[in-house]
Amino acid sequence: MVRQGRGREDSVGSTLRVRNAPFPANAQPDVVLHHGGRFHVCEVKSGRADYGRFDCVFESKPFQQFLADTGHIGADPWEVEQDIIKLRLFPRLSDEVGSCLFLMVDAYVGAGRSWTRIFRDSALFKETMRTKFIQDLSDELLARSIIVPLRSDRMEANLIVCAVTTAFGNAKTVGAGIAI
């Protein structure tokens, strides 16, 4: 079963049958796949060649409360960071969550930072992330990430794959086969 959508009935809490659970139960991930008796959650982002995807739309009151409860003070997290935080928290909702995966196709080639550069450099990753929650996880997250070059005649991009959580303990991602 694959669920995609943007209605309340498509929240991860609804999928896991834990509607009254705390944040991030009402979050609506991009893809939830039921496989092997477990739910696997995926957030997907893309960045155009002329757009670095450093967005910061942050309107969720439960998310804001979660960050306040963790002691976060300062700028709101980037959307990429928001997705990684939610992916990290989904397994707390149910033992049925198998793995949580962040995918990003980064085609940005402009000046300045790109997510590919950030996922390649631990110091830059920590500096870019705005929450201590993710800064504290940076080494673990980068150890569970791979960057796969994507090339065609008219396009170049990088696929960033981060196994935020896995059902397999500290499984390591391997090569372009992206086995997690």
Side-chain angles (χ1 to χ4, degrees), residues 108-138:
Y108 184 64
V109 294
R113 62 190 165 178
S114 73
W115 286 107
T116 297
R117 288 185 206 117
I118 288 165
F119 271 82
R120 283 188 174 137
D121 182 327
S122 179
L124 188 55
F125 188 92
K126 286 179 186 177
E127 176 185 310
T128 302
M129 295 302 151
R130 294 174 164 179
T131 65
K132 185 169 179 354
F133 185 84
I134 294 298
Q135 291 167 349
D136 289 348
L137 293 170
S138 62

mmCIF file of all heavy atoms in Angstrom, residues 108-138:
data_model
loop_
_atom_site.group_PDB
_atom_site.id
_atom_site.type_symbol
_atom_site.label_atom_id
_atom_site.label_comp_id
_atom_site.label_asym_id
_atom_site.label_seq_id
_atom_site.Cartn_x
_atom_site.Cartn_y
_atom_site.Cartn_z
ATOM 1 N N TYR A 108 20.977 22.264 -8.024
ATOM 2 C CA TYR A 108 21.440 23.646 -7.906
ATOM 3 C C TYR A 108 22.905 23.788 -8.318
ATOM 4 O O TYR A 108 23.770 23.039 -7.874
ATOM 5 C CB TYR A 108 21.260 24.143 -6.473
ATOM 6 C CG TYR A 108 21.629 25.591 -6.301
ATOM 7 C CD1 TYR A 108 20.908 26.587 -6.949
ATOM 8 C CD2 TYR A 108 22.696 25.965 -5.503
ATOM 9 C CE1 TYR A 108 21.244 27.928 -6.804
ATOM 10 C CE2 TYR A 108 23.029 27.306 -5.345
ATOM 11 C CZ TYR A 108 22.303 28.280 -6.003
ATOM 12 O OH TYR A 108 22.641 29.597 -5.851
ATOM 13 N N VAL A 109 23.180 24.772 -9.175
ATOM 14 C CA VAL A 109 24.547 25.018 -9.637
ATOM 15 C C VAL A 109 24.969 26.469 -9.447
ATOM 16 O O VAL A 109 26.023 26.875 -9.928
ATOM 17 C CB VAL A 109 24.736 24.624 -11.126
ATOM 18 C CG1 VAL A 109 24.596 23.133 -11.303
ATOM 19 C CG2 VAL A 109 23.767 25.376 -12.027
ATOM 20 N N GLY A 110 24.176 27.261 -8.737
ATOM 21 C CA GLY A 110 24.487 28.671 -8.541
ATOM 22 C C GLY A 110 25.569 28.893 -7.507
ATOM 23 O O GLY A 110 26.132 27.955 -6.935
ATOM 24 N N ALA A 111 25.822 30.160 -7.248
ATOM 25 C CA ALA A 111 26.817 30.535 -6.238
ATOM 26 C C ALA A 111 26.262 30.248 -4.845
ATOM 27 O O ALA A 111 25.057 30.155 -4.640
ATOM 28 C CB ALA A 111 27.146 32.016 -6.379
ATOM 29 N N GLY A 112 27.143 30.102 -3.895
ATOM 30 C CA GLY A 112 26.701 29.883 -2.520
ATOM 31 C C GLY A 112 26.467 28.419 -2.206
ATOM 32 O O GLY A 112 26.897 27.526 -2.919
ATOM 33 N N ARG A 113 25.750 28.211 -1.130
ATOM 34 C CA ARG A 113 25.585 26.855 -0.625
ATOM 35 C C ARG A 113 24.544 26.061 -1.410
ATOM 36 O O ARG A 113 23.626 26.606 -1.999
ATOM 37 C CB ARG A 113 25.207 26.905 0.842
ATOM 38 C CG ARG A 113 23.913 27.586 1.079
ATOM 39 C CD ARG A 113 23.657 27.834 2.519
ATOM 40 N NE ARG A 113 22.563 28.810 2.577
ATOM 41 C CZ ARG A 113 22.023 29.263 3.652
ATOM 42 N NH1 ARG A 113 22.475 28.862 4.806
ATOM 43 N NH2 ARG A 113 21.055 30.111 3.601
ATOM 44 N N SER A 114 24.741 24.779 -1.400
ATOM 45 C CA SER A 114 23.776 23.840 -1.969
ATOM 46 C C SER A 114 23.620 22.717 -0.948
ATOM 47 O O SER A 114 24.489 22.492 -0.102
ATOM 48 C CB SER A 114 24.280 23.273 -3.294
ATOM 49 O OG SER A 114 25.334 22.343 -3.066
ATOM 50 N N TRP A 115 22.503 22.010 -1.035
ATOM 51 C CA TRP A 115 22.294 20.908 -0.099
ATOM 52 C C TRP A 115 23.309 19.797 -0.328
ATOM 53 O O TRP A 115 23.719 19.113 0.619
ATOM 54 C CB TRP A 115 20.856 20.405 -0.168
ATOM 55 C CG TRP A 115 19.932 21.374 0.504
ATOM 56 C CD1 TRP A 115 19.054 22.224 -0.088
ATOM 57 C CD2 TRP A 115 19.850 21.627 1.912
ATOM 58 N NE1 TRP A 115 18.421 22.987 0.864
ATOM 59 C CE2 TRP A 115 18.887 22.638 2.101
ATOM 60 C CE3 TRP A 115 20.493 21.105 3.035
ATOM 61 C CZ2 TRP A 115 18.546 23.132 3.361
ATOM 62 C CZ3 TRP A 115 20.150 21.596 4.292
ATOM 63 C CH2 TRP A 115 19.194 22.593 4.445
ATOM 64 N N THR A 116 23.781 19.620 -1.553
ATOM 65 C CA THR A 116 24.817 18.612 -1.808
ATOM 66 C C THR A 116 26.082 18.962 -1.026
ATOM 67 O O THR A 116 26.659 18.101 -0.353
ATOM 68 C CB THR A 116 25.126 18.521 -3.317
ATOM 69 O OG1 THR A 116 23.940 18.088 -3.997
ATOM 70 C CG2 THR A 116 26.257 17.548 -3.589
ATOM 71 N N ARG A 117 26.509 20.225 -1.088
ATOM 72 C CA ARG A 117 27.694 20.641 -0.328
ATOM 73 C C ARG A 117 27.481 20.441 1.172
ATOM 74 O O ARG A 117 28.379 20.019 1.887
ATOM 75 C CB ARG A 117 28.027 22.103 -0.625
ATOM 76 C CG ARG A 117 28.603 22.315 -2.000
ATOM 77 C CD ARG A 117 29.031 23.776 -2.212
ATOM 78 N NE ARG A 117 28.970 24.053 -3.624
ATOM 79 C CZ ARG A 117 28.164 24.952 -4.189
ATOM 80 N NH1 ARG A 117 27.368 25.697 -3.439
ATOM 81 N NH2 ARG A 117 28.155 25.119 -5.475
ATOM 82 N N ILE A 118 26.298 20.762 1.641
ATOM 83 C CA ILE A 118 26.007 20.661 3.071
ATOM 84 C C ILE A 118 26.029 19.205 3.534
ATOM 85 O O ILE A 118 26.576 18.895 4.592
ATOM 86 C CB ILE A 118 24.651 21.334 3.372
ATOM 87 C CG1 ILE A 118 24.835 22.850 3.247
ATOM 88 C CG2 ILE A 118 24.113 20.943 4.745
ATOM 89 C CD1 ILE A 118 23.549 23.630 3.167
ATOM 90 N N PHE A 119 25.473 18.291 2.746
ATOM 91 C CA PHE A 119 25.454 16.879 3.133
ATOM 92 C C PHE A 119 26.820 16.223 2.966
ATOM 93 O O PHE A 119 27.035 15.118 3.450
ATOM 94 C CB PHE A 119 24.377 16.109 2.358
ATOM 95 C CG PHE A 119 23.036 16.124 3.034
ATOM 96 C CD1 PHE A 119 22.190 17.209 2.887
ATOM 97 C CD2 PHE A 119 22.623 15.065 3.829
ATOM 98 C CE1 PHE A 119 20.947 17.245 3.512
ATOM 99 C CE2 PHE A 119 21.386 15.088 4.460
ATOM 100 C CZ PHE A 119 20.549 16.180 4.304
ATOM 101 N N ARG A 120 27.761 16.891 2.319
ATOM 102 C CA ARG A 120 29.125 16.365 2.182
ATOM 103 C C ARG A 120 30.064 16.854 3.279
ATOM 104 O O ARG A 120 31.167 16.339 3.419
ATOM 105 C CB ARG A 120 29.711 16.772 0.830
ATOM 106 C CG ARG A 120 29.213 15.970 -0.318
ATOM 107 C CD ARG A 120 29.975 16.285 -1.587
ATOM 108 N NE ARG A 120 29.565 15.390 -2.641
ATOM 109 C CZ ARG A 120 29.326 15.759 -3.884
ATOM 110 N NH1 ARG A 120 29.491 17.025 -4.249
ATOM 111 N NH2 ARG A 120 28.942 14.880 -4.782
ATOM 112 N N ASP A 121 29.659 17.857 4.042
ATOM 113 C CA ASP A 121 30.573 18.527 4.961
ATOM 114 C C ASP A 121 29.936 18.635 6.344
ATOM 115 O O ASP A 121 29.003 19.420 6.545
ATOM 116 C CB ASP A 121 30.888 19.909 4.391
ATOM 117 C CG ASP A 121 31.877 20.701 5.218
ATOM 118 O OD1 ASP A 121 31.886 20.570 6.466
ATOM 119 O OD2 ASP A 121 32.630 21.493 4.616
ATOM 120 N N SER A 122 30.454 17.887 7.304
ATOM 121 C CA SER A 122 29.875 17.844 8.649
ATOM 122 C C SER A 122 29.826 19.228 9.306
ATOM 123 O O SER A 122 28.811 19.599 9.904
ATOM 124 C CB SER A 122 30.675 16.874 9.520
ATOM 125 O OG SER A 122 30.159 16.840 10.817
ATOM 126 N N ALA A 123 30.894 19.986 9.193
ATOM 127 C CA ALA A 123 30.916 21.313 9.814
ATOM 128 C C ALA A 123 29.882 22.232 9.170
ATOM 129 O O ALA A 123 29.171 22.972 9.863
ATOM 130 C CB ALA A 123 32.316 21.924 9.715
ATOM 131 N N LEU A 124 29.776 22.187 7.849
ATOM 132 C CA LEU A 124 28.801 23.009 7.142
ATOM 133 C C LEU A 124 27.374 22.561 7.474
ATOM 134 O O LEU A 124 26.479 23.396 7.627
ATOM 135 C CB LEU A 124 29.053 22.946 5.637
ATOM 136 C CG LEU A 124 28.259 23.888 4.748
ATOM 137 C CD1 LEU A 124 28.426 25.344 5.174
ATOM 138 C CD2 LEU A 124 28.692 23.702 3.288
ATOM 139 N N PHE A 125 27.159 21.260 7.607
ATOM 140 C CA PHE A 125 25.850 20.728 7.986
ATOM 141 C C PHE A 125 25.438 21.288 9.352
ATOM 142 O O PHE A 125 24.341 21.829 9.510
ATOM 143 C CB PHE A 125 25.899 19.195 8.014
ATOM 144 C CG PHE A 125 24.569 18.529 8.212
ATOM 145 C CD1 PHE A 125 23.803 18.148 7.125
ATOM 146 C CD2 PHE A 125 24.085 18.265 9.480
ATOM 147 C CE1 PHE A 125 22.571 17.517 7.294
ATOM 148 C CE2 PHE A 125 22.858 17.629 9.677
ATOM 149 C CZ PHE A 125 22.103 17.257 8.574
ATOM 150 N N LYS A 126 26.330 21.173 10.335
ATOM 151 C CA LYS A 126 26.032 21.679 11.685
ATOM 152 C C LYS A 126 25.795 23.191 11.682
ATOM 153 O O LYS A 126 24.921 23.691 12.381
ATOM 154 C CB LYS A 126 27.170 21.343 12.643
ATOM 155 C CG LYS A 126 27.213 19.898 13.046
ATOM 156 C CD LYS A 126 28.377 19.614 13.976
ATOM 157 C CE LYS A 126 28.477 18.126 14.247
ATOM 158 N NZ LYS A 126 29.616 17.790 15.087
ATOM 159 N N GLU A 127 26.586 23.908 10.902
ATOM 160 C CA GLU A 127 26.453 25.361 10.825
ATOM 161 C C GLU A 127 25.128 25.776 10.178
ATOM 162 O O GLU A 127 24.515 26.768 10.569
ATOM 163 C CB GLU A 127 27.621 25.920 10.014
ATOM 164 C CG GLU A 127 27.576 27.406 9.766
ATOM 165 C CD GLU A 127 28.712 27.841 8.851
ATOM 166 O OE1 GLU A 127 29.872 27.469 9.116
ATOM 167 O OE2 GLU A 127 28.418 28.556 7.870
ATOM 168 N N THR A 128 24.677 25.015 9.190
ATOM 169 C CA THR A 128 23.464 25.351 8.444
ATOM 170 C C THR A 128 22.193 25.017 9.219
ATOM 171 O O THR A 128 21.226 25.783 9.192
ATOM 172 C CB THR A 128 23.448 24.616 7.087
ATOM 173 O OG1 THR A 128 24.615 24.993 6.354
ATOM 174 C CG2 THR A 128 22.195 24.952 6.290
ATOM 175 N N MET A 129 22.205 23.904 9.910
ATOM 176 C CA MET A 129 21.010 23.496 10.640
ATOM 177 C C MET A 129 20.743 24.471 11.778
ATOM 178 O O MET A 129 21.657 24.908 12.470
ATOM 179 C CB MET A 129 21.159 22.076 11.172
ATOM 180 C CG MET A 129 21.258 21.041 10.067
ATOM 181 S SD MET A 129 19.832 21.090 8.976
ATOM 182 C CE MET A 129 20.538 20.517 7.460
ATOM 183 N N ARG A 130 19.489 24.789 11.974
ATOM 184 C CA ARG A 130 19.121 25.836 12.925
ATOM 185 C C ARG A 130 18.683 25.301 14.274
ATOM 186 O O ARG A 130 18.531 26.079 15.210
ATOM 187 C CB ARG A 130 18.004 26.679 12.319
ATOM 188 C CG ARG A 130 18.459 27.456 11.103
ATOM 189 C CD ARG A 130 17.304 28.158 10.449
ATOM 190 N NE ARG A 130 17.774 29.190 9.534
ATOM 191 C CZ ARG A 130 16.970 29.939 8.811
ATOM 192 N NH1 ARG A 130 15.657 29.794 8.901
ATOM 193 N NH2 ARG A 130 17.463 30.843 8.007
ATOM 194 N N THR A 131 18.448 24.005 14.384
ATOM 195 C CA THR A 131 17.994 23.444 15.659
ATOM 196 C C THR A 131 19.078 22.576 16.271
ATOM 197 O O THR A 131 19.777 21.839 15.569
ATOM 198 C CB THR A 131 16.722 22.582 15.481
ATOM 199 O OG1 THR A 131 17.034 21.445 14.676
ATOM 200 C CG2 THR A 131 15.589 23.380 14.850
ATOM 201 N N LYS A 132 19.199 22.660 17.568
ATOM 202 C CA LYS A 132 20.147 21.809 18.282
ATOM 203 C C LYS A 132 19.766 20.342 18.112
ATOM 204 O O LYS A 132 20.626 19.465 18.061
ATOM 205 C CB LYS A 132 20.181 22.194 19.763
ATOM 206 C CG LYS A 132 21.232 21.449 20.567
ATOM 207 C CD LYS A 132 21.395 22.062 21.929
ATOM 208 C CE LYS A 132 22.393 21.380 22.818
ATOM 209 N NZ LYS A 132 23.017 20.179 22.439
ATOM 210 N N PHE A 133 18.460 20.078 18.000
ATOM 211 C CA PHE A 133 17.964 18.710 17.803
ATOM 212 C C PHE A 133 18.674 18.049 16.621
ATOM 213 O O PHE A 133 19.166 16.930 16.734
ATOM 214 C CB PHE A 133 16.444 18.758 17.575
ATOM 215 C CG PHE A 133 15.786 17.415 17.473
ATOM 216 C CD1 PHE A 133 15.408 16.728 18.618
ATOM 217 C CD2 PHE A 133 15.510 16.851 16.249
ATOM 218 C CE1 PHE A 133 14.794 15.494 18.535
ATOM 219 C CE2 PHE A 133 14.893 15.610 16.152
ATOM 220 C CZ PHE A 133 14.527 14.934 17.302
ATOM 221 N N ILE A 134 18.754 18.726 15.495
ATOM 222 C CA ILE A 134 19.407 18.166 14.309
ATOM 223 C C ILE A 134 20.924 18.345 14.375
ATOM 224 O O ILE A 134 21.677 17.452 13.974
ATOM 225 C CB ILE A 134 18.827 18.770 13.022
ATOM 226 C CG1 ILE A 134 17.367 18.345 12.858
ATOM 227 C CG2 ILE A 134 19.641 18.354 11.789
ATOM 228 C CD1 ILE A 134 17.148 16.842 12.723
ATOM 229 N N GLN A 135 21.403 19.438 14.894
ATOM 230 C CA GLN A 135 22.850 19.619 15.036
ATOM 231 C C GLN A 135 23.456 18.472 15.842
ATOM 232 O O GLN A 135 24.523 17.957 15.493
ATOM 233 C CB GLN A 135 23.161 20.955 15.708
ATOM 234 C CG GLN A 135 22.841 22.151 14.843
ATOM 235 C CD GLN A 135 22.842 23.462 15.607
ATOM 236 O OE1 GLN A 135 22.881 23.485 16.834
ATOM 237 N NE2 GLN A 135 22.791 24.566 14.879
ATOM 238 N N ASP A 136 22.768 18.056 16.905
ATOM 239 C CA ASP A 136 23.267 16.956 17.741
ATOM 240 C C ASP A 136 23.255 15.618 17.014
ATOM 241 O O ASP A 136 23.984 14.701 17.392
ATOM 242 C CB ASP A 136 22.452 16.846 19.031
ATOM 243 C CG ASP A 136 22.721 17.991 20.002
ATOM 244 O OD1 ASP A 136 23.693 18.750 19.796
ATOM 245 O OD2 ASP A 136 21.941 18.124 20.970
ATOM 246 N N LEU A 137 22.430 15.481 15.985
ATOM 247 C CA LEU A 137 22.329 14.229 15.225
ATOM 248 C C LEU A 137 23.161 14.262 13.944
ATOM 249 O O LEU A 137 23.150 13.301 13.181
ATOM 250 C CB LEU A 137 20.868 13.962 14.845
ATOM 251 C CG LEU A 137 19.909 13.655 15.977
ATOM 252 C CD1 LEU A 137 18.471 13.665 15.463
ATOM 253 C CD2 LEU A 137 20.245 12.307 16.592
ATOM 254 N N SER A 138 23.868 15.358 13.700
ATOM 255 C CA SER A 138 24.497 15.552 12.397
ATOM 256 C C SER A 138 25.455 14.435 12.001
ATOM 257 O O SER A 138 25.414 13.961 10.867
ATOM 258 C CB SER A 138 25.189 16.909 12.321
ATOM 259 O OG SER A 138 26.216 17.000 13.272
#
